Every structure is written in C-alpha cells, then in structure tokens.
Amino acid sequence: MPYWRLSGYYFFYFAALGALVPFWGPYLQSKGFDPLAIGQLMAILVGTKIVAPMLWGHIVDITGRRMPIVRLGALVSAVTFIGVFPADGFWSIAAAMVLFSFFWNASLPQMEAVTFNYLRHRPSGYALIRLWGSVGFILVVSVLGVQLESAPMNIVPIWVLILFVAIWLSTLMVPDSAPVAGGPTTPSLRAVLARPDVVAFLVACFLMQASHGLYYAFYSIHLASAGYSTSAIGALWALGVIAEVMVFLAMRYLLERFGARRVLLWSLAIAVLRWLLIGAFVDVLAVAVFAQCLHAATFGTFHASAIHLVHQYFRGRTQGRGQALYNSLSFGAGGAVGSLIGGLLWAARGPTATFGVAASAAALGFVAAWCWVEKPPAASEGRRHPA
C-alpha cells in the first residue's frame, strides 16, 4: 500500500483548505464585501460539491479508473484558480470560484475510494492516512495566520495557488487501484438509497455539515470582531485540527470498540454543545479553546465514522457514486445551505442566534441518526481483520 504517497495527497489537499477556509472569508471582507455577499460566495465554494462529485463519480463507476479523474481535476483546478487574481467585483469573483471549486471538489471523493481500495479489509486504518491532511492544515493555518499580522490579505490567493499546484504534483505519484468487488449480489445504487437507514445517515451528514457551513464562513470573522488577532485566529483553527489529529490516532480503537453508529451519535451530540459555546462565549479565551478542542469530535470522529459507513453501504460499482453522494449532500449541499443561512442571519440576528441555528441543525441530525441509522451487517468485518 502506497502509504506515504496517499498521505502526501491528503497533506497538500487539506493544507490548501487551511488557506481557504479560515482566511477566504476575511480576504473577501478585505475586498469590501458585506456578510450576505460573503455567505453567498462561500456557498459557491462548497456548493459545487453538490454537482462535481456526482458527475465525476458516475464517470469513474463506468470506466473503473479513478486516478486519471483525480489528476485531471487537480490540474484544471490549479489552472482555473488563476482567474481569481484579475477578478474584481462580486460576479467576476463568483465566476472564478465556480470554475476552480468545480474541478477541485471532483477529486477528493475518488481519492477516498482509492484509499479504501488499498485498505481493503482494514478500513479502520483510514484515519492514520487522513491525519496527514490535518497536519497540512495545521501548518498552513498557523504560518499564514502569523504572516497576515504584517502582510496584506491579498497573499491568501497566492498561498492557495501554490498549494493547488502541489496537490496536482502529488496525484502524479499515486498509482490507480481496482475497486473492491461487491460480489454478485451487490445491490444497485437505487436499492441502497431506498433503505431508510441510508437515507437517515445522509440526512444526518447533511445537517452536520450545514452546521459547519455556518462555522467555516463566519468563525474567523466572529473571532476578529471579538478582538482576536490574525495569529490568534490561526492558532485557534490549528488547535481544533491538532485535536482532530489526536483523535485520528485513536480512531481505529474507537471504531472497533464502539462501532461507527455510536461514534457518529457522540459526534452529533458534542456538536450541539460546541456551537452553543462558540455563539455565546467566544470572547472568553478558555471557552474558545475548549470549543476548538471539540473539533476532534464534530469533524474528526464524525468524518471517520461517516466514511466508514459509506464504505459499508456502497460497494463494488456503486463505490464511486456513493463516496460522491456523501460529499455532495454533506460537504456540498449541507455546507452551502449553512453558508447561505449564516449570511442571512449574521447581520440581522448576530452570532449567538446564528450559531444557535447551527446547534439546532446538529440536534436534528442526532435525532435522525438515533432513530433510523442501523449498524451495517458488514461493519463487524473490521474486527475480524485487524490492521
């Protein structure tokens, strides 16, 4: 298994996310956009995840070749990102963001499928590869946050472009992998999506990422309005991802000991608490630090358990579209809805109400998962094939 080559992709992909997510909102603010426009533009950034992963996932499931799609998406996203530099005004920036994010968002779901194909019967080992993405995020968000203390915000797109090129170069190092056979009785995608537990799982993922969409779009702005410096903002983002790395190291044990469904439920419940704390008490440093440590659960354990369930629900020729559907509905549709709601609420109702809505979304996700998500029959395989 090409551990370091797979890890290198995750490192650079999430390093680019470390430049985009915390600092793209403030970058747009520095260009004179108001909260509603920022929410709309951030929604574009995640909204292309609704269409792009499903389109490319369908192509991959037909051809059976993933890495050519990953490489193409990475290359075109780097080339089209150049359009951000001359863009000036809402519509020109929106057009540039649609172009680069459409291709950028096409590659990750297929790389997830490639990773699980290499892991085969050891899916709980995914976290040990994925944690390098968190390391990349931490490094970039920390260094860029310090640099922005003295440098202008227009260095943010320069960082992103360099990292997009690095993502493409890393894809050239990863060999393709054949999909895991689903067996002669593997159900169709339509049959899988007709199951109530699968529907409830996808609804819970949508609601969880909708709550994160509010957080990603306005957390840095919220901190800045509370008096935090850009280096402190970067440090708090990094702290959350450090906590995420720590939990990734223990993720194999958590999944094998408690099961993906139970870990998913814990993550949703902790998200409710986290958003309430951020909304009401972010100006208290100790509370802000504690809330960021909870990122270990709201993203770390949630994503690892969710991707584990996706691997169990969608097998064989449904694998590419299953991974894409998870990304489209959660990070795509959920993140876009959260960003749009945040843009509408922020100026009118303020941060407490905005993050209160995020907590409500996570609570509804918990109810959906608790009532309908069941443990997949194949989920116990990981205990019979330890990594």
Side-chain angles (χ1 to χ4, degrees):
M1 197 200 41
Y3 175 84
W4 288 111
R5 284 176 281 179
L6 290 170
S7 300
Y9 172 86
Y10 285 98
F11 178 90
F12 288 115
Y13 185 93
F14 287 94
L17 205 64
L20 271 172
V21 172
F23 301 115
W24 201 251
Y27 167 72
L28 294 173
Q29 189 178 44
S30 73
K31 293 181 73 67
F33 293 105
D34 60 25
L36 178 58
I38 292 171
Q40 291 169 337
L41 289 169
M42 294 297 284
I44 289 173
L45 191 61
V46 294
T48 51
K49 291 182 181 179
I50 301 171
V51 179
M54 288 302 298
L55 173 62
W56 295 114
H58 181 69
I59 294 172
V60 165
D61 279 342
I62 291 174
T63 64
R65 301 181 66 197
R66 302 190 189 281
M67 286 311 301
I69 296 297
V70 173
R71 294 173 189 132
L72 177 64
L75 175 60
V76 179
S77 63
V79 172
T80 54
F81 185 81
I82 297 172
V84 167
F85 292 92
D88 188 22
F90 180 87
W91 291 111
S92 58
I93 290 181
M97 291 178 66
V98 166
L99 282 174
F100 84 74
S101 63
F102 178 84
F103 292 98
W104 184 50
N105 290 326
S107 62
L108 181 61
Q110 302 314 315
M111 182 59 79
E112 301 274 39
V114 168
T115 301
F116 272 98
N117 288 342
Y118 278 114
L119 289 169
R120 299 289 173 177
H121 298 298
R122 301 171 180 174
S124 58
Y126 164 80
L128 295 178
I129 296 173
R130 173 59 181 78
L131 69 84
W132 287 103
S134 302
V135 172
F137 187 101
I138 292 166
L139 290 176
V140 168
V141 79
S142 301
V143 174
L144 185 52
V146 172
Q147 188 176 4
L148 286 170
E149 290 285 352
S150 55
M153 276 289 172
N154 59 18
I155 68 167
V156 172
I158 297 173
W159 272 74
V160 176
L161 178 59
I162 292 171
L163 291 167
F164 272 17
V165 172
I167 293 170
W168 171 64
L169 293 174
S170 72
T171 66
L172 302 179
M173 306 297 293
V174 179
D176 210 343
S177 63
V180 177
T185 60
T186 300
S188 67
L189 181 65
R190 181 176 297 181
V192 175
L193 294 178
R195 292 170 48 180
D197 56 337
V198 175
V199 173
F201 164 72
L202 292 173
V203 168
C205 292
F206 169 85
L207 290 167
M208 182 63 135
Q209 294 309 319
S211 73
H212 278 75
L214 293 155
Y215 164 73
Y216 291 142
F218 290 99
Y219 180 63
S220 293
I221 294 172
H222 186 30
L223 290 173
S225 65
Y228 290 86
S229 64
T230 57
S231 59
I233 293 170
L236 283 169
W237 277 96
L239 175 64
V241 186
I242 289 170
E244 175 188 310
V245 171
M246 294 300 102
V247 82
F248 275 146
L249 293 173
M251 201 63 219
R252 174 187 165 190
Y253 166 78
L254 292 175
L255 286 173
E256 293 181 354
R257 174 67 177 83
F258 299 105
R261 177 185 181 273
R262 192 176 298 178
V263 174
L264 194 82
L265 288 169
W266 291 346
S267 305
L268 287 158
I270 292 172
V272 177
L273 173 63
R274 185 187 183 200
W275 305 142
L276 292 175
L277 291 176
I278 288 176
F281 304 106
V282 76
D283 55 329
V284 181
L285 179 60
V287 176
V289 168
F290 175 69
Q292 281 303 89
C293 289
L294 296 182
H295 189 74
T298 66
F299 182 85
T301 59
F302 182 86
H303 178 64
S305 59
I307 207 77
H308 191 85
L309 288 169
V310 169
H311 178 66
Q312 298 297 339
Y313 288 138
F314 300 96
R315 313 287 289 183
R317 284 295 185 178
T318 67
Q319 186 184 37
R321 284 168 291 169
Q323 292 283 355
L325 186 63
Y326 164 68
N327 278 268
S328 295
L329 290 180
S330 56
F331 298 103
V337 167
S339 294
L340 289 172
I341 291 174
L344 292 170
L345 286 176
W346 194 261
R349 298 293 181 181
T352 302
T354 302
F355 280 98
V357 170
S360 299
L364 289 173
F366 177 88
V367 172
W370 175 270
C371 293
W372 291 287
V373 173
E374 300 175 357
K375 182 179 178 181
S380 60
E381 289 180 3
R383 282 189 281 272
R384 293 196 298 270
H385 301 277

